[in-house]
Amino acid sequence: MIRGGAIPTGLAAACALAVVCAAAAALDVALPGAANPAAAEDAEPARIVVRAKRLVGWSGVPDGPGSVVFHRKRFAEAGAQVTPLEGDRVLDAAVVTPGLMDAWTREDTIDSGEDPQPFGASLLTEFGVDPYNRVVGEAGEGGVLLRRVLPGSSNPIGGIPSSIHLTAPGALAGAASEERAVAFSFTAAATRRERYPGSLAGLVRALESAFDTASARKGEPFAGGDLALRMTDADLETLRKLAEPPGGRAYLHAETEAEVRAALRLAGERKLKAVLVGPRCGAEVILAAARASLPSVKDLEVIMALSAEDPLVVLRTPGLLAAAGARVRFGTGTHDAPPAALRLIAALAVRHGMDRSAAHAALLSPEIVRHELAAGAVLFDGDPLEPATRVVGVISGGVEVRLRPLVPADARKEKR
Amino acid sequence: MRFRALPILLPVALLASAVAAEEPAASTGATVLENARVLTVSGAVIEKGAVLLRGGRIVAVGETVEVPEGARRIDLAGRVLCPGFIDAASRIGLAGVDRDRPAGSPEASVADAVDLRDEAFRTALGAGVTSVLLSPGTGAGTFAGRTCLVKTRPSGGDFAVLASRDGPVKIVLGQAGSRAPSLQRAGATAAVRERFRRALEAADAVEKYGKDLTEFLEKAATYAAAGDAPEEGLLPAAVLQRLRRLDPEAREAARRELRRRLGLKDPAKPPEVPKRPREPRTSDADLLLQACARGEVEVRFEAHSIEELRGAAALVAEFRLRASVEGASEAWDAAETLRAGSLPTVVWPVAKPTGTDGEDGALLPGLLRAAGVPVAVGTGDVAPSTVRHLPLLAAHAAGRGLDRDAALRAITLDAARAAGFQGRIGSIEPGKDADLLILDGDPLDLGTRVIGVWIDGVDVPMPPQEGAR
């Protein structure tokens, strides 16, 4: 059994949107006594006890029958021996998991593709999050309670990733920049040839120069390698902190074999924690590059976005990487993918060889249950990896989210 | 007789040539698949049942079947037996077909263009997809040609065989994601309406020609009998010979007598020369569209926006078409239109936003089915190799609101219906093609494997399995 207790995350302070969203959240959640908020404040709120035939993905709790308890909008405990008390609100589900995590979205971030500063290491993606985006609203209903926002991939240095925690439909519990983390794009050379005529080699030289300048190893101002690009003091300071031992997290968007090798070489040389994003060159290439550049394959984290249209070499990558010891996460990779796409990605990975327990780990976010504002769990009518399985309930922000029916009652109604 | 050469009979000739090119069923011996969980799809599940196959067809289905002497018996040890999956809107093997052909031609046969050595047919077989309706993409023009049914049974060096050239006629009213103004979209419907009207006018012209020709022949016969026959071939030979044997004076006398008996006003004057009606030109395209309007040939519309979908429904109503729709990616507000038009609909729910407001496309099948629209899941415009995930996509739709039974129907019986071949494939029923899958679990479960495939009663060797549990 594990027991809860709010872990200060500092996210609330960082979230400029939380206050705005709290009102929306209050309207959209089925709080006990919600019809009379004042009364609800006075009375001891009921616990929510979710009984499951199978608990999946709960740290310290074996995969099997059990219950999860939320109290006062916080996670309280989870385990096989938990029993409901009188007055508890009891929910039943076939499977209960912690919230799902979309490890790679770009929703509403500033896509710095048109930014005149393509080495904008200090750009904060959290300020690009739009709480009114419908995908944000729908994410909670799909059980995706945590989304990591990366900048667009048009610039070699895109900025600082952020995480957004979702509560009720249409509401954010918080958006926070990730500390000592920067997103890099090695695909920029291919997608913006007019800017990087030196192609990948020129881009890598520019990045090397940026790091050298930031760490003052060569004591000369950053000149952008061959590209005559500029960086602000804030950008250089961000890079300097990133490279301080132990190295921070480098999100490395790289698709082709050459890009992946270059990205992991940079991470290895600068002793950064490598998070490879969106590779499409096959597991063997990735593993070879990791072995050549990183201390161990286990030091590699890879975020994969799969599509049913992908070739087999891509579809098999998550399973092979996980089997080799790399940490795999799933992400939708776009700003507008529906939340259900995340589980479809996991299903595709399993279909093409990924071990189910590894896929659960790649999909779920156990730490979210302890989040100060967004403690959550997802109730399923079957294994979440099965595409036919439906979300039947969501606990978010410690309260039950009211789900809209998948098929509206007025399916025949035509608006126009 | 010239009359017999009227083009109205051309379809019979076309049909005859078409049938000759189709691959016949390959198996003739009787086989019994027994001790299986039979998902008939058209009826109840038979928990422990048997299916008798003979001559490439299903002969009997039930808890028990009468086993013919000498029949091959296969014990399936409780495994699942279900109909072969059907992709009701596929582009496999059509890589060379979709080109810039703005108008297209309805009579162009996709069967003549398909590459049966496309590896994606093997991929389809591995996923349990035994039939695909090959439907050209939007690049093939408004009238994209006549679709065809292909089965994924290897034959010779090919990975598939042509099962029927007689699929629905594909008409493209719009393409996915188009941001064309609604008036422009309406223009496509108007163009199709105009083309159907021209085809029907051509039919009217042929009918009128027939009447005019009959009238002409009657007049010509009268004229010929009465005098200077403009069409000697129209008179019986015996009459002609008798006339020719007479000397000129006697012949003239005979003519006058004939004119008098025929009641002509002036027996001395030859009757007015009738004008032979001009034979109208009728194209193969006209004939095919006329067959569509008679309900003899189905139509497959590709339509996405609500304007296009309503345009399709309007054309169905106006020309009394039997039709289906593929695409329908923006059908969020068009469910009633599709239901009222009796339009089975093929969608490709690949979990991308499809509406102008970014709705989850995987929700569409459930919404349409709830409104009473038969829904099929196909691959359509997505990469042809996506066919390997056809059951997974159906399952995904089930996870997003489509009833689980309807999800299975979406890749079997309702897919057959949308393809226009529901009398032949899509369920385990006597009389249907023996296209069957042997599975080790539920068809919609992720870990289920295809253990065996029968197509046209033939036990087809499986390609290497791609998936894993």
Side-chain angles (χ1 to χ4, degrees):
Chain A
M1 181 185 298
I2 56 172
R3 292 193 180 277
I7 296 175
T9 61
L11 292 179
C15 176
L17 302 164
V19 175
V20 176
C21 298
L27 292 173
D28 277 323
V29 297
L31 279 169
N36 187 347
E41 287 294 322
D42 295 340
E44 174 70 10
R47 301 196 314 167
I48 298 175
V49 179
V50 187
R51 296 187 300 203
K53 293 174 184 168
R54 191 179 159 204
L55 294 179
V56 174
W58 297 86
S59 300
V61 180
D63 189 328
S67 299
V68 180
V69 181
F70 291 88
H71 188 48
R72 291 183 177 275
K73 301 185 182 180
R74 302 281 194 276
F75 166 73
E77 59 181 321
Q81 308 301 324
V82 177
T83 52
L85 305 174
E86 189 177 342
D88 285 348
R89 173 161 171 69
V90 179
L91 306 172
D92 289 296
V95 175
V96 176
T97 70
L100 312 186
M101 176 184 184
D102 188 341
W104 176 25
T105 75
R106 297 175 178 170
E107 61 194 8
D108 305 301
T109 59
I110 301 163
D111 185 339
S112 46
E114 298 306 318
D115 194 292
Q117 172 48 290
F119 279 47
S122 60
L123 186 145
L124 293 167
T125 59
E126 72 170 285
F127 294 128
V129 175
D130 174 9
Y132 302 108
N133 181 303
R134 66 173 293 153
V135 177
V136 172
E138 290 172 355
E141 290 183 86
V144 181
L145 303 182
L146 177 61
R147 298 173 80 110
R148 183 186 291 128
V149 182
L150 298 182
S153 55
S154 297
N155 287 338
I157 305 181
I160 298 173
S162 57
S163 295
I164 56 176
H165 292 78
L166 305 159
T167 58
L172 298 180
S177 296
E178 188 170 339
E179 291 184 13
R180 297 192 66 222
V182 173
F184 300 86
S185 170
F186 288 77
T187 66
T191 55
R192 303 196 69 191
R193 290 181 188 280
E194 77 287 356
R195 173 167 270 178
Y196 307 108
S199 72
L200 185 60
L203 186 147
V204 170
R205 275 201 304 276
L207 288 174
E208 294 282 358
S209 176
F211 270 103
D212 288 346
T213 304
S215 60
R217 279 165 50 174
K218 292 183 180 175
E220 58 190 36
F222 174 65
D226 300 338
L227 304 174
L229 299 170
R230 293 176 298 104
M231 292 180 79
T232 65
D233 289 345
D235 294 332
L236 291 169
E237 179 63 10
T238 302
L239 274 195
R240 189 189 63 73
K241 284 186 177 174
L242 181 75
E244 279 179 356
R249 286 164 69 84
Y251 289 86
L252 308 160
H253 186 203
E255 296 184 355
T256 66
E257 179 176 350
E259 290 165 4
V260 166
R261 284 181 177 166
L264 294 186
R265 189 184 304 124
L266 178 82
E269 287 175 356
R270 304 287 165 178
K271 300 193 177 350
L272 305 174
K273 294 184 178 72
V275 184
L276 194 56
V277 181
R280 300 183 61 78
C281 53
E284 289 179 5
V285 169
I286 297 167
L287 291 171
R291 289 182 184 118
S293 300
L294 305 179
S296 163
V297 169
K298 292 181 180 175
D299 293 319
L300 176 65
E301 181 175 337
V302 182
I303 303 174
M304 294 290 302
L306 302 179
S307 151
E309 299 180 67
D310 279 339
L312 287 175
V313 68
V314 176
L315 293 166
R316 288 172 176 155
T317 297
L320 293 171
L321 290 179
R327 186 180 183 199
V328 177
R329 309 280 335 201
F330 297 126
T332 53
T334 65
H335 69 285
D336 59 356
L342 188 67
R343 285 204 296 124
L344 182 63
I345 289 169
L348 287 166
V350 171
R351 181 67 195 168
H352 291 278
M354 192 174 196
D355 176 76
R356 284 192 184 236
S357 60
H360 281 136
L363 185 65
L364 304 174
S365 177
E367 61 270 23
I368 198 170
V369 298
R370 293 166 181 269
H371 190 273
E372 210 170 8
L373 295 174
V378 191
L379 289 63
F380 294 97
D381 63 1
D383 187 336
L385 296 175
E386 288 291 340
T389 292
R390 296 183 185 181
V391 174
V392 295
V394 173
I395 307 294
S396 182
V399 298
E400 189 182 353
V401 174
R402 183 185 302 140
L403 302 182
R404 291 171 296 182
L406 291 171
V407 176
D410 58 348
R412 286 189 188 179
K413 188 176 177 185
E414 297 193 11
K415 293 174 190 167
R416 288 179 281 176
Chain B
M1 294 272 291
R2 295 171 75 101
F3 211 69
R4 285 181 185 161
L6 285 177
I8 202 160
L9 298 178
L10 271 178
V12 176
L14 288 174
L15 188 66
S17 66
V19 169
E22 288 161 13
E23 183 98 358
S27 174
T28 53
T31 303
V32 178
L33 303 174
E34 53 193 359
N35 190 19
R37 183 169 192 264
V38 183
L39 308 182
T40 64
V41 177
S42 56
V45 174
I46 305 170
E47 291 299 338
K48 188 174 181 181
V51 179
L52 170 63
L53 322 176
R54 187 165 49 209
R57 308 258 172 168
I58 297 167
V59 177
V61 185
E63 291 184 347
T64 59
V65 297
E66 194 171 328
V67 181
E69 193 175 333
R72 181 184 173 199
R73 299 179 73 160
I74 299 173
D75 184 348
L76 296 183
R79 285 175 170 152
V80 170
L81 195 61
C82 85
F85 300 143
I86 300 163
D87 185 345
S90 170
R91 318 280 194 250
I92 298 177
L94 301 182
V97 173
D98 288 355
R99 290 291 182 264
D100 188 17
R101 302 167 67 231
S105 45
E107 77 283 14
S109 176
V110 173
D112 293 332
V114 62
D115 174 11
L116 294 175
R117 298 192 175 204
D118 191 319
E119 283 276 351
F121 287 119
R122 261 163 60 89
T123 303
L125 175 64
V129 178
T130 55
S131 296
V132 295
L133 185 82
L134 295 181
S135 169
T138 54
T142 301
F143 287 94
R146 187 150 194 194
T147 62
C148 66
L149 186 73
V150 162
K151 293 197 180 184
T152 56
R153 173 164 60 85
S155 177
D158 295 339
F159 296 131
V161 295
L162 181 62
S164 173
R165 302 171 68 93
D166 301 330
V169 173
K170 172 86 181 268
I171 297 176
V172 177
L173 296 181
Q175 63 186 62
S178 169
R179 291 289 173 262
S182 55
L183 199 58
Q184 190 174 325
R185 295 175 180 217
T189 303
V192 172
R193 178 181 289 113
E194 174 62 23
R195 187 66 189 83
F196 264 104
R197 283 180 180 164
R198 268 176 38 213
L200 295 183
E201 284 168 8
D204 292 343
V206 169
E207 189 178 342
K208 183 174 182 303
Y209 171 67
K211 289 177 184 170
D212 291 349
L213 187 62
T214 302
E215 190 178 337
F216 163 75
L217 293 176
E218 287 172 355
K219 283 185 179 176
T222 302
Y223 182 89
D228 305 325
E231 302 275 348
E232 288 196 341
L234 297 173
L235 282 178
V239 176
L240 275 175
Q241 285 173 3
R242 283 176 59 196
L243 282 171
R244 283 172 182 158
R245 277 200 295 269
L246 297 173
D247 60 46
E249 284 189 16
R251 193 184 300 165
E252 184 57 27
R255 281 175 180 156
R256 287 172 183 255
E257 177 59 20
L258 275 169
R259 291 169 194 156
R260 190 183 62 75
R261 287 184 188 178
L262 286 169
L264 297 178
K265 288 180 182 174
D266 183 1
K269 189 177 173 185
E272 186 182 347
V273 178
K275 191 175 179 183
R276 185 182 181 87
R278 189 173 174 187
E279 184 176 339
R281 291 181 61 188
T282 306
S283 66
D284 289 348
D286 288 333
L287 295 172
L288 190 56
L289 295 179
Q290 290 162 15
C292 292
R294 290 193 300 271
E296 295 166 5
V297 175
E298 289 200 22
V299 171
R300 163 65 63 83
F301 288 105
E302 177 160 353
H304 293 271
S305 69
I306 191 162
E307 296 91 344
E308 294 156 8
L309 293 165
R310 287 181 176 168
L315 291 167
V316 166
E318 182 174 348
F319 298 106
R320 298 180 182 178
L321 306 173
R322 286 194 300 136
S324 58
V325 166
E326 70 178 58
S329 54
E330 297 173 31
W332 303 99
D333 301 326
E336 176 59 17
T337 295
L338 293 166
R339 188 202 63 79
S342 300
L343 290 166
T345 300
V346 189
V347 297
W348 33 95
V350 287
K352 287 178 181 172
T354 61
T356 50
D357 296 328
E359 296 95 337
D360 179 359
L363 290 166
L364 253 183
L367 182 138
L368 294 177
R369 194 71 192 87
V373 180
V375 176
V377 169
T379 54
D381 275 344
V382 298
S385 62
T386 308
V387 70
R388 67 165 56 96
H389 295 129
L390 192 68
L392 190 149
L393 292 177
H396 183 58
R400 302 296 289 154
L402 183 63
D403 174 73
R404 198 173 172 106
D405 289 340
L408 179 57
R409 288 175 66 99
I411 52 174
T412 54
L413 192 53
D414 284 343
R417 187 173 172 189
F421 290 95
Q422 66 270 32
R424 189 171 163 183
I425 53 176
S427 59
I428 301 181
E429 292 179 88
K432 288 200 170 180
D433 292 358
D435 298 349
L436 303 165
L437 305 180
I438 301 165
L439 309 172
D440 66 356
D442 187 282
L444 299 182
D445 282 355
L446 194 58
T448 294
R449 286 173 174 276
V450 181
I451 304 297
V453 179
W454 293 68
I455 300 178
D456 294 327
V458 176
D459 186 359
V460 178
M462 288 286 293
Q465 292 275 304
E466 291 180 347
R469 286 178 185 278

